[in-house]
Amino acid sequence: QEQLVESGGGLVQPGGSLRLSCAASGFTLDHSAIGWFRQAPGNEREGVSCISSSDGSTSYADSVKGRFTISMDNAKNTVYLQMKSLKPEDTAVYYCVTDRIIGTCPLTRNDYWGQGTQVTVSS
């Protein structure tokens, strides 16, 4: 069964760091694009970052640029989102999504969704 599983969320204080993981199983991320999205209660889902295994490109929302880093470990078939200097406004459920067909950023397809992992930034 093809699936994406996010992990690594939690409660951190402002200025803290977390690393989120998006592990793919049942398929490989080769020639895919993987995006991280987040959604706070009552808000629209927001694109955070994207990485393409096809061309190696990465992209970031302006709100996280310079603080978040997306990366991929091909051997582990996993995408990571390293989050530093976290702010309360980063609080949301974070999801990873993959485009297995076009495989470029920004995502134009949502082939698989993860279940989400909660990130809470609060003092």
Side-chain angles (χ1 to χ4, degrees), residues 3 11 42 55 59 62 70 73 78 89 93-94 116 119-120:
Q3 64 178 28
L11 174 64
D55 60 16
S59 62
D62 289 341
I70 191 169
D73 187 329
T78 299
E89 51 263 44
V93 177
Y94 284 71
V119 172
T120 302

Coordinates of all heavy atoms in Angstrom, one line a residue, residues 3 11 42 55 59 62 70 73 78 89 93-94 116 119-120:
Q3 N 1.9 4.9 0.8 CA 1.5 5.9 1.8 C 2.7 6.8 2.1 O 3.8 6.5 1.9 CB 0.9 5.3 3.0 CG 2.0 4.4 3.8 CD 1.4 3.8 5.0 OE1 0.1 3.6 5.1 NE2 2.2 3.6 6.0
L11 N 5.7 20.0 20.6 CA 5.6 21.3 21.2 C 7.0 21.9 21.5 O 7.8 21.3 22.1 CB 4.8 21.2 22.5 CG 4.8 22.5 23.4 CD1 4.0 23.6 22.7 CD2 4.1 22.1 24.7
G42 N -9.0 26.6 11.2 CA -9.8 27.7 10.7 C -9.1 28.4 9.5 O -9.7 29.3 8.9
D55 N 14.7 17.4 -10.8 CA 15.6 18.4 -11.2 C 16.4 19.0 -10.0 O 17.2 19.8 -10.2 CB 15.0 19.5 -12.0 CG 13.8 20.2 -11.2 OD1 13.8 20.0 -10.0 OD2 13.0 20.9 -11.8
S59 N 12.0 25.0 -3.2 CA 11.3 26.3 -3.1 C 10.7 26.4 -1.7 O 10.5 25.4 -1.0 CB 10.2 26.4 -4.1 OG 9.2 25.4 -4.0
D62 N 7.7 32.5 1.4 CA 8.4 33.7 1.9 C 8.4 33.7 3.4 O 9.4 34.1 4.1 CB 7.8 35.0 1.4 CG 8.1 35.2 -0.1 OD1 9.0 34.6 -0.6 OD2 7.4 36.0 -0.7
I70 N 14.4 22.1 3.3 CA 13.8 20.8 2.8 C 15.0 20.0 2.2 O 15.9 20.6 1.6 CB 12.7 21.1 1.8 CG1 12.0 19.7 1.6 CG2 13.2 21.7 0.5 CD1 10.6 19.9 0.8
D73 N 16.5 12.2 1.5 CA 17.5 11.1 1.7 C 17.0 10.0 0.8 O 16.0 9.3 1.1 CB 17.5 10.7 3.1 CG 18.6 9.6 3.4 OD1 18.9 8.8 2.5 OD2 19.1 9.6 4.5
T78 N 12.9 9.2 2.1 CA 12.3 10.1 3.1 C 12.7 11.6 2.7 O 13.8 11.9 2.3 CB 12.8 9.8 4.5 OG1 12.4 8.5 4.8 CG2 12.2 10.7 5.5
E89 N 3.5 31.7 14.8 CA 2.7 31.6 13.6 C 3.0 30.4 12.8 O 2.3 30.1 11.8 CB 2.8 32.9 12.8 CG 4.3 33.3 12.5 CD 4.7 34.3 13.5 OE1 4.5 34.2 14.7 OE2 5.4 35.3 13.0
V93 N -0.8 22.0 11.6 CA -0.6 20.6 11.3 C 0.1 20.6 9.9 O -0.3 21.3 9.0 CB -1.9 19.8 11.1 CG1 -1.7 18.4 10.6 CG2 -2.7 19.8 12.4
Y94 N 1.2 19.9 9.9 CA 2.1 19.9 8.7 C 1.8 18.5 8.0 O 1.9 17.5 8.5 CB 3.5 20.0 9.1 CG 3.9 21.4 9.4 CD1 3.5 22.0 10.6 CD2 4.7 22.2 8.6 CE1 3.8 23.3 10.9 CE2 5.1 23.5 8.9 CZ 4.6 24.0 10.1 OH 5.0 25.3 10.4
G116 N -0.4 13.9 8.5 CA -0.2 15.2 9.2 C 0.5 15.0 10.6 O 0.3 13.9 11.2
V119 N 2.6 20.6 14.8 CA 3.7 21.5 15.3 C 3.0 22.6 16.1 O 2.2 23.4 15.6 CB 4.5 22.0 14.2 CG1 5.5 23.1 14.7 CG2 5.3 20.9 13.5
T120 N 3.4 22.7 17.4 CA 2.9 23.8 18.2 C 4.1 24.6 18.8 O 5.0 24.0 19.4 CB 2.1 23.3 19.4 OG1 1.0 22.5 18.9 CG2 1.5 24.4 20.2

